[in-house]
Amino acid sequence: GENVEQHPSTLSVQEGDSAVIKCTYSDSASNYFPWYKQELGKRPQLIIDIRSNVGEKKDQRIAVTLNKTAKHFSLHITETQPEDSAVYFCAARAMNRDDKIIFGKGTRLHILP
Amino acid sequence: DVKVTQSSRYLVKRTGEKVFLECVQDMDHENMFWYRQDPGLGLRLIYFSYDVKMKEKGDIPEGYSVSREKKERFSLILESASTNQTSMYLCASVSASDTQYFGPGTRLTVL
């Protein structure tokens, strides 16, 4: 089955700097890679996702890159702001639609003033 | 807007009690999931269902069962609650575009 590793577990960056969170996956059949953000006391919410037919996707200050050969994908947040402080989860899902989504263990991002 | 609701935000039960956690979604989604969230362990899949009366074990199904009698409702059952089942339980409903919509969570404490 799929296994998703996420690093780092905790990340502190100065406000305005960039943050990068990295994930690796084990199942080469995985074709869908979402990222979820969970603010303190709230439910996780999808912020961006990427499918295996593209290598990069951007949405304003957030971007995700995918390297299928190396089986890793990354979340990039530029010009970080205080509201970016949260726990971020990466996930991967294989081609069969009945397959479950496997989440990484999460990264707690702290934006320092 | 997709709405996923869970029956309780906070629940306190005693060891050995039978516990029901309910999740309801209003978007006619076929796939629904139950996770537990613990510090440092992320989101771990307990059970999921891709159709009425269908269920599949996730990564940590021991001590849990589920019920999906209607498409909109997915229930998680703790047959005999134990202290190691104290956790945050999150339900999710999945759209056709694969987006998971999470409920607000139920923080269960087993004494």
Side-chain angles (χ1 to χ4, degrees), chain A residues 97-98, chain B residues 25 27-33 48-52 54 68 70-72 74 92-96:
Chain A
R97 280 190 57 84
D98 293 338
Chain B
Q25 50 96 1
M27 286 301 291
D28 204 36
H29 291 163
E30 293 179 348
N31 292 5
M32 297 184 73
F33 294 73
F48 64 107
S49 168
Y50 51 86
D51 203 351
V52 174
M54 303 297 285
R68 185 107 182 259
K70 293 185 178 181
K71 195 173 187 179
E72 67 269 20
F74 191 32
S93 169
V94 182
S95 71

Coordinates of all heavy atoms in Angstrom, one line a residue, chain A residues 97-98, chain B residues 25 27-33 48-52 54 68 70-72 74 92-96:
Chain A
R97 N -10.1 4.6 -8.1 CA -10.9 5.6 -7.4 C -11.4 5.1 -6.0 O -11.8 5.9 -5.2 CB -12.1 6.1 -8.2 CG -11.8 7.1 -9.3 CD -13.0 7.7 -9.8 NE -13.9 8.3 -8.8 CZ -13.8 9.5 -8.4 NH1 -12.8 10.2 -8.8 NH2 -14.6 10.0 -7.5
D98 N -11.4 3.8 -5.9 CA -11.8 3.3 -4.6 C -10.7 3.3 -3.6 O -10.9 3.0 -2.4 CB -12.4 1.9 -4.7 CG -13.7 1.8 -5.5 OD1 -14.3 2.9 -5.5 OD2 -14.0 0.8 -6.1
Chain B
Q25 N -23.5 14.3 5.4 CA -23.1 15.2 4.3 C -24.3 15.4 3.4 O -25.2 14.6 3.3 CB -21.9 14.7 3.5 CG -22.0 13.2 3.0 CD -22.5 13.1 1.6 OE1 -22.8 14.1 0.9 NE2 -22.6 11.8 1.2
M27 N -24.2 16.6 0.1 CA -23.8 16.8 -1.3 C -23.9 15.5 -2.1 O -23.4 15.5 -3.2 CB -22.4 17.4 -1.4 CG -22.4 18.8 -1.0 SD -23.5 19.8 -2.1 CE -22.6 19.8 -3.7
D28 N -24.6 14.5 -1.6 CA -24.8 13.3 -2.4 C -23.4 12.6 -2.8 O -23.3 11.9 -3.8 CB -25.6 13.6 -3.7 CG -26.3 12.3 -4.2 OD1 -26.8 11.5 -3.4 OD2 -26.4 12.2 -5.4
H29 N -22.4 12.8 -2.0 CA -21.1 12.1 -2.2 C -21.2 10.6 -2.0 O -21.8 10.2 -1.0 CB -20.0 12.7 -1.4 CG -19.7 14.2 -1.7 ND1 -19.0 15.0 -0.9 CD2 -20.0 14.9 -2.9 CE1 -18.9 16.2 -1.5 NE2 -19.4 16.1 -2.7
E30 N -20.5 9.9 -2.8 CA -20.5 8.4 -2.6 C -19.5 8.0 -1.5 O -19.7 7.1 -0.8 CB -20.2 7.7 -3.9 CG -21.3 7.9 -4.9 CD -21.0 7.2 -6.3 OE1 -19.8 6.8 -6.5 OE2 -21.9 7.2 -7.1
N31 N -18.3 8.6 -1.6 CA -17.2 8.2 -0.7 C -17.2 9.0 0.6 O -17.2 10.2 0.6 CB -15.9 8.4 -1.4 CG -15.7 7.5 -2.5 OD1 -16.6 6.7 -2.9 ND2 -14.5 7.5 -3.1
M32 N -17.1 8.3 1.7 CA -17.0 8.9 3.0 C -16.0 8.2 3.9 O -15.7 7.0 3.7 CB -18.4 8.9 3.8 CG -19.4 9.7 3.0 SD -21.0 9.9 4.0 CE -20.6 11.0 5.3
F33 N -15.3 9.0 4.7 CA -14.1 8.4 5.5 C -14.2 8.8 6.9 O -14.8 9.9 7.3 CB -12.8 9.1 4.9 CG -12.5 8.7 3.5 CD1 -13.2 9.2 2.5 CD2 -11.4 7.8 3.3 CE1 -12.9 8.8 1.1 CE2 -11.1 7.4 2.0 CZ -11.8 8.0 0.9
F48 N -13.5 3.4 5.6 CA -14.1 4.3 4.6 C -15.2 3.5 3.9 O -15.3 2.2 4.0 CB -13.1 4.8 3.6 CG -12.4 3.9 2.8 CD1 -12.6 3.7 1.4 CD2 -11.3 3.1 3.3 CE1 -11.9 2.8 0.6 CE2 -10.6 2.2 2.5 CZ -10.9 2.1 1.2
S49 N -16.0 4.2 3.2 CA -17.2 3.6 2.5 C -17.4 4.3 1.1 O -17.3 5.6 1.0 CB -18.4 3.8 3.3 OG -19.6 3.5 2.6
Y50 N -17.5 3.5 0.1 CA -17.7 4.1 -1.2 C -19.1 3.9 -1.8 O -19.4 4.2 -3.0 CB -16.6 3.7 -2.2 CG -16.5 2.2 -2.3 CD1 -17.2 1.4 -3.2 CD2 -15.5 1.6 -1.6 CE1 -17.0 0.1 -3.3 CE2 -15.3 0.2 -1.6 CZ -16.1 -0.5 -2.5 OH -15.9 -1.9 -2.6
D51 N -20.0 3.4 -0.9 CA -21.4 3.3 -1.4 C -22.2 2.8 -0.2 O -21.7 2.4 0.9 CB -21.5 2.2 -2.5 CG -22.8 2.4 -3.3 OD1 -23.6 3.3 -2.9 OD2 -22.9 1.8 -4.4
V52 N -23.5 3.0 -0.3 CA -24.4 2.5 0.8 C -24.1 1.0 1.1 O -24.0 0.2 0.2 CB -25.9 2.8 0.4 CG1 -26.8 2.2 1.5 CG2 -26.1 4.2 0.2
M54 N -21.6 -0.4 1.9 CA -20.3 -0.9 1.6 C -19.3 -0.2 2.6 O -19.5 0.9 3.0 CB -19.9 -0.4 0.2 CG -20.8 -0.9 -0.9 SD -20.8 -2.7 -1.0 CE -19.3 -3.0 -1.8
R68 N -23.3 2.3 7.1 CA -23.7 3.2 6.1 C -25.0 2.7 5.5 O -25.0 2.0 4.5 CB -22.6 3.3 5.0 CG -22.9 4.4 3.9 CD -22.1 5.5 4.0 NE -22.4 6.6 3.1 CZ -21.6 6.8 2.0 NH1 -20.6 6.0 1.7 NH2 -21.9 7.8 1.2
K70 N -27.6 4.8 4.8 CA -28.1 5.8 3.8 C -26.8 6.6 3.3 O -25.8 6.7 4.0 CB -29.0 6.8 4.5 CG -30.3 6.2 4.9 CD -31.2 7.3 5.5 CE -32.6 6.7 5.9 NZ -33.5 7.7 6.4
K71 N -27.0 7.0 2.1 CA -25.8 7.6 1.4 C -25.3 8.8 2.2 O -24.1 9.0 2.2 CB -26.3 8.1 0.0 CG -25.1 8.4 -0.9 CD -25.7 8.7 -2.3 CE -24.5 8.8 -3.3 NZ -25.0 9.1 -4.7
E72 N -26.1 9.6 2.8 CA -25.7 10.8 3.4 C -25.1 10.6 4.8 O -24.5 11.5 5.4 CB -26.8 11.9 3.5 CG -28.0 11.4 4.4 CD -29.1 10.7 3.7 OE1 -28.8 10.1 2.6 OE2 -30.2 10.6 4.3
F74 N -22.8 8.4 7.6 CA -21.7 7.4 7.9 C -21.4 7.4 9.4 O -21.0 8.4 9.9 CB -20.5 7.7 7.0 CG -19.5 6.6 7.0 CD1 -19.8 5.3 7.0 CD2 -18.1 7.0 6.8 CE1 -18.8 4.3 6.9 CE2 -17.1 6.0 6.7 CZ -17.5 4.7 6.8
A92 N -14.9 12.7 6.8 CA -14.8 13.4 5.5 C -15.7 12.8 4.4 O -15.9 11.6 4.4 CB -13.3 13.4 5.1
S93 N -16.1 13.7 3.6 CA -16.9 13.3 2.4 C -16.1 13.8 1.2 O -15.6 14.8 1.2 CB -18.3 14.0 2.5 OG -19.0 13.9 1.4
V94 N -16.1 12.9 0.2 CA -15.2 13.2 -1.0 C -16.1 13.5 -2.2 O -16.9 12.7 -2.6 CB -14.3 12.0 -1.2 CG1 -13.4 12.3 -2.4 CG2 -13.5 11.7 0.0
S95 N -15.7 14.6 -2.9 CA -16.4 15.0 -4.1 C -15.9 14.2 -5.3 O -14.9 13.4 -5.2 CB -16.2 16.4 -4.4 OG -14.8 16.7 -4.8
A96 N -16.6 14.3 -6.4 CA -16.2 13.7 -7.7 C -14.8 14.1 -8.1 O -14.1 13.4 -8.9 CB -17.2 13.9 -8.8

